[in-house]
Amino acid sequence: ILALSLCSCSKELSRSKAQSLLNESEAFKSWKPQITAQGQELAKAACGGFFSKHLVRAAEVYVAVSLSAKGKQYFANPKEFCFTNVMCSYSVLLNKQVGEVTGITGSSDSERNVEFKLQYEYPEEVLNCTGKFPEAAKATFRMYDNGWRVMKVGYSKPE
C-alpha cells in the first residue's frame, strides 16, 4: 500500500488527460500549424490587407506578395516574397487549443499516439482570405516515472 501511494502516476492515458496535457505542453504551444496558398490567389485582392502586392524585377518582371503589417499578426513566412506562380507556406500564429481528442493508440506501456482536432481563435476575415486551417493533428506521448509527457506534435495524415 505504501508503494502505491508514493507514485500518483497512472499508466492509463484518457482522452481528457491527453487534452489537458497537450494544452499545457510546451511542445504544443510552440508548434505552428502551416497553411499553403497559391501566390496568385493571395495577390488578387491582397487578401483583405493581410498581403501586399509587389513587382519584382529579375530577368523578367514578376508579381509577388508579402505579408503586410496586418498579416504579420496572424502569419509568418521565412521568405520575404511569395511569387504568384508558386504555392506558398505560412505558419499560423493564431491562438490554438486542442479540441476533441479523437483517438489514442499504442501497444506499449511507455508510448501512446494521440489524434485530436484543433480549434483556433481568429477574426472571420482571416479565414475568408486563407480558407480552412489545418483541423487534425497528432501527438506522441511518452510515460516517465512521474507521468505522461508530450514528446512531439504534428499533422495527422488525411484519410
Side-chain angles (χ1 to χ4, degrees):
I1 296 174
L2 181 59
L4 291 175
S5 65
L6 292 176
C7 181
S8 63
C9 56
S10 168
K11 290 203 178 226
E12 182 182 341
L13 181 62
S14 68
R15 289 180 182 213
S16 62
K17 180 71 172 172
Q19 182 182 31
S20 175
L21 289 171
L22 272 163
N23 278 323
E24 296 168 6
S25 76
E26 191 55 41
F28 179 70
K29 289 177 184 175
S30 63
W31 177 64
K32 304 288 186 245
Q34 300 282 310
I35 60 162
T36 303
Q38 179 73 34
Q40 189 169 348
E41 294 300 314
L42 298 175
K44 277 186 182 172
C47 244
F50 294 105
F51 296 87
S52 302
K53 277 173 76 170
H54 305 276
L55 292 178
V56 178
R57 296 191 182 272
E60 299 178 34
V61 175
Y62 296 97
V63 176
V65 293
S66 65
L67 287 167
S68 66
K70 181 180 179 182
K72 289 177 183 177
Q73 296 175 59
Y74 304 103
F75 306 104
N77 184 343
K79 298 178 184 175
E80 183 179 357
F81 295 108
C82 171
F83 293 99
T84 55
N85 60 340
V86 298
M87 295 297 284
C88 306
S89 292
Y90 294 91
S91 296
V92 178
L93 304 178
L94 303 172
N95 290 332
K96 64 186 181 312
Q97 287 189 315
V98 175
E100 175 189 5
V101 172
T102 56
I104 299 175
T105 60
S107 56
S108 79
D109 288 341
S110 62
E111 196 163 288
R112 295 284 191 279
N113 296 308
V114 175
E115 293 182 1
F116 58 95
K117 294 193 182 283
L118 292 163
Q119 295 177 332
Y120 302 93
E121 294 176 24
Y122 54 86
E124 191 66 30
E125 63 183 330
V126 173
L127 189 62
N128 292 339
C129 174
T130 61
K132 289 178 121 180
F133 293 121
E135 296 176 345
K138 63 182 176 182
T140 302
F141 284 71
R142 185 167 292 141
M143 172 57 96
Y144 285 84
D145 62 341
N146 62 348
W148 289 100
R149 292 186 202 166
V150 180
M151 302 309 296
K152 183 170 74 170
V153 179
Y155 290 111
S156 289
K157 290 185 180 178
E159 295 177 6

PDB file of all heavy atoms in Angstrom, residues 109-130:
ATOM      1  N   ASP A 109       3.367   0.071 -22.935  1.00  0.00           N
ATOM      2  CA  ASP A 109       3.000   0.820 -21.733  1.00  0.00           C
ATOM      3  C   ASP A 109       3.706   2.166 -21.662  1.00  0.00           C
ATOM      4  O   ASP A 109       3.352   3.006 -20.845  1.00  0.00           O
ATOM      5  CB  ASP A 109       3.357   0.011 -20.471  1.00  0.00           C
ATOM      6  CG  ASP A 109       2.423  -1.166 -20.271  1.00  0.00           C
ATOM      7  OD1 ASP A 109       1.318  -1.155 -20.853  1.00  0.00           O
ATOM      8  OD2 ASP A 109       2.801  -2.086 -19.528  1.00  0.00           O
ATOM      9  N   SER A 110       4.708   2.381 -22.514  1.00  0.00           N
ATOM     10  CA  SER A 110       5.523   3.584 -22.382  1.00  0.00           C
ATOM     11  C   SER A 110       5.292   4.637 -23.466  1.00  0.00           C
ATOM     12  O   SER A 110       5.834   5.732 -23.378  1.00  0.00           O
ATOM     13  CB  SER A 110       7.005   3.206 -22.371  1.00  0.00           C
ATOM     14  OG  SER A 110       7.348   2.595 -23.597  1.00  0.00           O
ATOM     15  N   GLU A 111       4.477   4.349 -24.481  1.00  0.00           N
ATOM     16  CA  GLU A 111       4.280   5.335 -25.548  1.00  0.00           C
ATOM     17  C   GLU A 111       2.874   5.236 -26.110  1.00  0.00           C
ATOM     18  O   GLU A 111       2.329   4.145 -26.267  1.00  0.00           O
ATOM     19  CB  GLU A 111       5.313   5.130 -26.658  1.00  0.00           C
ATOM     20  CG  GLU A 111       5.417   6.327 -27.585  1.00  0.00           C
ATOM     21  CD  GLU A 111       6.690   6.315 -28.418  1.00  0.00           C
ATOM     22  OE1 GLU A 111       7.765   6.562 -27.848  1.00  0.00           O
ATOM     23  OE2 GLU A 111       6.582   6.046 -29.616  1.00  0.00           O
ATOM     24  N   ARG A 112       2.277   6.409 -26.402  1.00  0.00           N
ATOM     25  CA  ARG A 112       0.943   6.486 -26.996  1.00  0.00           C
ATOM     26  C   ARG A 112       0.941   7.535 -28.102  1.00  0.00           C
ATOM     27  O   ARG A 112       1.643   8.532 -28.029  1.00  0.00           O
ATOM     28  CB  ARG A 112      -0.106   6.911 -25.968  1.00  0.00           C
ATOM     29  CG  ARG A 112      -0.338   5.950 -24.837  1.00  0.00           C
ATOM     30  CD  ARG A 112      -1.176   4.751 -25.293  1.00  0.00           C
ATOM     31  NE  ARG A 112      -1.621   3.954 -24.172  1.00  0.00           N
ATOM     32  CZ  ARG A 112      -0.889   3.058 -23.547  1.00  0.00           C
ATOM     33  NH1 ARG A 112       0.353   2.856 -23.906  1.00  0.00           N
ATOM     34  NH2 ARG A 112      -1.384   2.355 -22.556  1.00  0.00           N
ATOM     35  N   ASN A 113       0.114   7.282 -29.119  1.00  0.00           N
ATOM     36  CA  ASN A 113      -0.132   8.248 -30.185  1.00  0.00           C
ATOM     37  C   ASN A 113      -1.545   8.769 -30.004  1.00  0.00           C
ATOM     38  O   ASN A 113      -2.488   7.993 -29.853  1.00  0.00           O
ATOM     39  CB  ASN A 113       0.025   7.593 -31.561  1.00  0.00           C
ATOM     40  CG  ASN A 113       1.442   7.128 -31.786  1.00  0.00           C
ATOM     41  OD1 ASN A 113       2.371   7.904 -31.618  1.00  0.00           O
ATOM     42  ND2 ASN A 113       1.605   5.871 -32.134  1.00  0.00           N
ATOM     43  N   VAL A 114      -1.685  10.091 -30.015  1.00  0.00           N
ATOM     44  CA  VAL A 114      -2.972  10.730 -29.771  1.00  0.00           C
ATOM     45  C   VAL A 114      -3.344  11.568 -30.986  1.00  0.00           C
ATOM     46  O   VAL A 114      -2.548  12.383 -31.449  1.00  0.00           O
ATOM     47  CB  VAL A 114      -2.902  11.625 -28.504  1.00  0.00           C
ATOM     48  CG1 VAL A 114      -4.198  12.391 -28.318  1.00  0.00           C
ATOM     49  CG2 VAL A 114      -2.574  10.780 -27.273  1.00  0.00           C
ATOM     50  N   GLU A 115      -4.547  11.353 -31.499  1.00  0.00           N
ATOM     51  CA  GLU A 115      -5.063  12.167 -32.595  1.00  0.00           C
ATOM     52  C   GLU A 115      -6.115  13.100 -32.037  1.00  0.00           C
ATOM     53  O   GLU A 115      -6.903  12.710 -31.167  1.00  0.00           O
ATOM     54  CB  GLU A 115      -5.652  11.268 -33.687  1.00  0.00           C
ATOM     55  CG  GLU A 115      -4.584  10.430 -34.371  1.00  0.00           C
ATOM     56  CD  GLU A 115      -5.135   9.571 -35.491  1.00  0.00           C
ATOM     57  OE1 GLU A 115      -6.353   9.629 -35.769  1.00  0.00           O
ATOM     58  OE2 GLU A 115      -4.335   8.852 -36.096  1.00  0.00           O
ATOM     59  N   PHE A 116      -6.119  14.354 -32.545  1.00  0.00           N
ATOM     60  CA  PHE A 116      -7.035  15.342 -31.995  1.00  0.00           C
ATOM     61  C   PHE A 116      -7.384  16.399 -33.031  1.00  0.00           C
ATOM     62  O   PHE A 116      -6.723  16.530 -34.048  1.00  0.00           O
ATOM     63  CB  PHE A 116      -6.436  16.001 -30.744  1.00  0.00           C
ATOM     64  CG  PHE A 116      -5.111  16.675 -30.969  1.00  0.00           C
ATOM     65  CD1 PHE A 116      -5.044  18.036 -31.230  1.00  0.00           C
ATOM     66  CD2 PHE A 116      -3.923  15.957 -30.909  1.00  0.00           C
ATOM     67  CE1 PHE A 116      -3.823  18.663 -31.429  1.00  0.00           C
ATOM     68  CE2 PHE A 116      -2.698  16.572 -31.103  1.00  0.00           C
ATOM     69  CZ  PHE A 116      -2.647  17.928 -31.368  1.00  0.00           C
ATOM     70  N   LYS A 117      -8.443  17.144 -32.736  1.00  0.00           N
ATOM     71  CA  LYS A 117      -8.877  18.250 -33.589  1.00  0.00           C
ATOM     72  C   LYS A 117      -8.369  19.561 -32.985  1.00  0.00           C
ATOM     73  O   LYS A 117      -8.265  19.697 -31.779  1.00  0.00           O
ATOM     74  CB  LYS A 117     -10.393  18.275 -33.700  1.00  0.00           C
ATOM     75  CG  LYS A 117     -10.938  17.059 -34.428  1.00  0.00           C
ATOM     76  CD  LYS A 117     -12.384  17.255 -34.791  1.00  0.00           C
ATOM     77  CE  LYS A 117     -12.946  16.040 -35.469  1.00  0.00           C
ATOM     78  NZ  LYS A 117     -12.560  15.897 -36.832  1.00  0.00           N
ATOM     79  N   LEU A 118      -8.047  20.495 -33.869  1.00  0.00           N
ATOM     80  CA  LEU A 118      -7.564  21.814 -33.449  1.00  0.00           C
ATOM     81  C   LEU A 118      -8.695  22.827 -33.466  1.00  0.00           C
ATOM     82  O   LEU A 118      -9.582  22.769 -34.326  1.00  0.00           O
ATOM     83  CB  LEU A 118      -6.469  22.289 -34.409  1.00  0.00           C
ATOM     84  CG  LEU A 118      -5.170  21.505 -34.374  1.00  0.00           C
ATOM     85  CD1 LEU A 118      -4.342  21.788 -35.612  1.00  0.00           C
ATOM     86  CD2 LEU A 118      -4.392  21.855 -33.126  1.00  0.00           C
ATOM     87  N   GLN A 119      -8.639  23.757 -32.531  1.00  0.00           N
ATOM     88  CA  GLN A 119      -9.553  24.892 -32.507  1.00  0.00           C
ATOM     89  C   GLN A 119      -8.710  26.158 -32.487  1.00  0.00           C
ATOM     90  O   GLN A 119      -7.694  26.208 -31.788  1.00  0.00           O
ATOM     91  CB  GLN A 119     -10.438  24.856 -31.259  1.00  0.00           C
ATOM     92  CG  GLN A 119     -11.369  23.678 -31.223  1.00  0.00           C
ATOM     93  CD  GLN A 119     -12.166  23.648 -29.929  1.00  0.00           C
ATOM     94  OE1 GLN A 119     -11.734  24.123 -28.899  1.00  0.00           O
ATOM     95  NE2 GLN A 119     -13.360  23.070 -30.008  1.00  0.00           N
ATOM     96  N   TYR A 120      -9.142  27.174 -33.243  1.00  0.00           N
ATOM     97  CA  TYR A 120      -8.403  28.429 -33.343  1.00  0.00           C
ATOM     98  C   TYR A 120      -9.285  29.595 -32.926  1.00  0.00           C
ATOM     99  O   TYR A 120     -10.504  29.534 -33.039  1.00  0.00           O
ATOM    100  CB  TYR A 120      -7.968  28.698 -34.790  1.00  0.00           C
ATOM    101  CG  TYR A 120      -7.118  27.635 -35.406  1.00  0.00           C
ATOM    102  CD1 TYR A 120      -7.685  26.611 -36.145  1.00  0.00           C
ATOM    103  CD2 TYR A 120      -5.740  27.679 -35.285  1.00  0.00           C
ATOM    104  CE1 TYR A 120      -6.898  25.645 -36.737  1.00  0.00           C
ATOM    105  CE2 TYR A 120      -4.944  26.716 -35.875  1.00  0.00           C
ATOM    106  CZ  TYR A 120      -5.532  25.696 -36.598  1.00  0.00           C
ATOM    107  OH  TYR A 120      -4.751  24.747 -37.184  1.00  0.00           O
ATOM    108  N   GLU A 121      -8.648  30.678 -32.511  1.00  0.00           N
ATOM    109  CA  GLU A 121      -9.330  31.952 -32.294  1.00  0.00           C
ATOM    110  C   GLU A 121      -8.811  32.893 -33.378  1.00  0.00           C
ATOM    111  O   GLU A 121      -7.614  33.119 -33.465  1.00  0.00           O
ATOM    112  CB  GLU A 121      -8.978  32.521 -30.924  1.00  0.00           C
ATOM    113  CG  GLU A 121      -9.480  31.702 -29.772  1.00  0.00           C
ATOM    114  CD  GLU A 121      -9.008  32.259 -28.437  1.00  0.00           C
ATOM    115  OE1 GLU A 121      -8.694  33.468 -28.346  1.00  0.00           O
ATOM    116  OE2 GLU A 121      -8.937  31.467 -27.490  1.00  0.00           O
ATOM    117  N   TYR A 122      -9.720  33.426 -34.207  1.00  0.00           N
ATOM    118  CA  TYR A 122      -9.294  34.297 -35.292  1.00  0.00           C
ATOM    119  C   TYR A 122     -10.460  35.148 -35.771  1.00  0.00           C
ATOM    120  O   TYR A 122     -11.618  34.773 -35.625  1.00  0.00           O
ATOM    121  CB  TYR A 122      -8.747  33.492 -36.475  1.00  0.00           C
ATOM    122  CG  TYR A 122      -9.707  32.436 -36.972  1.00  0.00           C
ATOM    123  CD1 TYR A 122     -10.688  32.751 -37.894  1.00  0.00           C
ATOM    124  CD2 TYR A 122      -9.633  31.132 -36.502  1.00  0.00           C
ATOM    125  CE1 TYR A 122     -11.577  31.801 -38.334  1.00  0.00           C
ATOM    126  CE2 TYR A 122     -10.511  30.173 -36.939  1.00  0.00           C
ATOM    127  CZ  TYR A 122     -11.485  30.513 -37.861  1.00  0.00           C
ATOM    128  OH  TYR A 122     -12.369  29.575 -38.284  1.00  0.00           O
ATOM    129  N   PRO A 123     -10.148  36.306 -36.357  1.00  0.00           N
ATOM    130  CA  PRO A 123     -11.206  37.107 -36.983  1.00  0.00           C
ATOM    131  C   PRO A 123     -11.682  36.406 -38.258  1.00  0.00           C
ATOM    132  O   PRO A 123     -10.897  35.750 -38.949  1.00  0.00           O
ATOM    133  CB  PRO A 123     -10.514  38.423 -37.331  1.00  0.00           C
ATOM    134  CG  PRO A 123      -9.143  38.359 -36.784  1.00  0.00           C
ATOM    135  CD  PRO A 123      -8.865  36.953 -36.365  1.00  0.00           C
ATOM    136  N   GLU A 124     -12.944  36.534 -38.569  1.00  0.00           N
ATOM    137  CA  GLU A 124     -13.539  35.879 -39.745  1.00  0.00           C
ATOM    138  C   GLU A 124     -12.804  36.251 -41.030  1.00  0.00           C
ATOM    139  O   GLU A 124     -12.656  35.434 -41.923  1.00  0.00           O
ATOM    140  CB  GLU A 124     -15.018  36.246 -39.857  1.00  0.00           C
ATOM    141  CG  GLU A 124     -15.775  35.412 -40.870  1.00  0.00           C
ATOM    142  CD  GLU A 124     -15.887  33.938 -40.495  1.00  0.00           C
ATOM    143  OE1 GLU A 124     -15.905  33.613 -39.303  1.00  0.00           O
ATOM    144  OE2 GLU A 124     -15.947  33.110 -41.423  1.00  0.00           O
ATOM    145  N   GLU A 125     -12.316  37.489 -41.129  1.00  0.00           N
ATOM    146  CA  GLU A 125     -11.636  37.926 -42.352  1.00  0.00           C
ATOM    147  C   GLU A 125     -10.360  37.117 -42.626  1.00  0.00           C
ATOM    148  O   GLU A 125      -9.949  36.975 -43.762  1.00  0.00           O
ATOM    149  CB  GLU A 125     -11.339  39.419 -42.310  1.00  0.00           C
ATOM    150  CG  GLU A 125     -10.403  39.825 -41.194  1.00  0.00           C
ATOM    151  CD  GLU A 125     -10.177  41.329 -41.124  1.00  0.00           C
ATOM    152  OE1 GLU A 125     -10.227  42.016 -42.159  1.00  0.00           O
ATOM    153  OE2 GLU A 125      -9.938  41.806 -40.015  1.00  0.00           O
ATOM    154  N   VAL A 126      -9.749  36.570 -41.597  1.00  0.00           N
ATOM    155  CA  VAL A 126      -8.561  35.738 -41.803  1.00  0.00           C
ATOM    156  C   VAL A 126      -8.953  34.471 -42.550  1.00  0.00           C
ATOM    157  O   VAL A 126      -8.310  34.069 -43.513  1.00  0.00           O
ATOM    158  CB  VAL A 126      -7.879  35.386 -40.456  1.00  0.00           C
ATOM    159  CG1 VAL A 126      -6.752  34.388 -40.658  1.00  0.00           C
ATOM    160  CG2 VAL A 126      -7.363  36.640 -39.779  1.00  0.00           C
ATOM    161  N   LEU A 127     -10.031  33.837 -42.124  1.00  0.00           N
ATOM    162  CA  LEU A 127     -10.492  32.610 -42.775  1.00  0.00           C
ATOM    163  C   LEU A 127     -10.953  32.882 -44.203  1.00  0.00           C
ATOM    164  O   LEU A 127     -10.714  32.081 -45.099  1.00  0.00           O
ATOM    165  CB  LEU A 127     -11.621  31.987 -41.958  1.00  0.00           C
ATOM    166  CG  LEU A 127     -12.057  30.591 -42.388  1.00  0.00           C
ATOM    167  CD1 LEU A 127     -10.915  29.599 -42.255  1.00  0.00           C
ATOM    168  CD2 LEU A 127     -13.226  30.123 -41.562  1.00  0.00           C
ATOM    169  N   ASN A 128     -11.578  34.025 -44.433  1.00  0.00           N
ATOM    170  CA  ASN A 128     -12.023  34.379 -45.791  1.00  0.00           C
ATOM    171  C   ASN A 128     -10.843  34.490 -46.741  1.00  0.00           C
ATOM    172  O   ASN A 128     -10.964  34.232 -47.927  1.00  0.00           O
ATOM    173  CB  ASN A 128     -12.800  35.696 -45.777  1.00  0.00           C
ATOM    174  CG  ASN A 128     -14.122  35.561 -45.062  1.00  0.00           C
ATOM    175  OD1 ASN A 128     -14.647  34.466 -44.920  1.00  0.00           O
ATOM    176  ND2 ASN A 128     -14.655  36.676 -44.598  1.00  0.00           N
ATOM    177  N   CYS A 129      -9.700  34.891 -46.237  1.00  0.00           N
ATOM    178  CA  CYS A 129      -8.502  35.066 -47.055  1.00  0.00           C
ATOM    179  C   CYS A 129      -7.813  33.727 -47.340  1.00  0.00           C
ATOM    180  O   CYS A 129      -7.378  33.471 -48.443  1.00  0.00           O
ATOM    181  CB  CYS A 129      -7.539  35.999 -46.334  1.00  0.00           C
ATOM    182  SG  CYS A 129      -5.950  36.178 -47.135  1.00  0.00           S
ATOM    183  N   THR A 130      -7.703  32.897 -46.344  1.00  0.00           N
ATOM    184  CA  THR A 130      -6.854  31.709 -46.448  1.00  0.00           C
ATOM    185  C   THR A 130      -7.601  30.411 -46.660  1.00  0.00           C
ATOM    186  O   THR A 130      -6.996  29.401 -46.986  1.00  0.00           O
ATOM    187  CB  THR A 130      -6.039  31.536 -45.158  1.00  0.00           C
ATOM    188  OG1 THR A 130      -6.944  31.367 -44.073  1.00  0.00           O
ATOM    189  CG2 THR A 130      -5.147  32.730 -44.910  1.00  0.00           C
TER     190      THR A 130
END
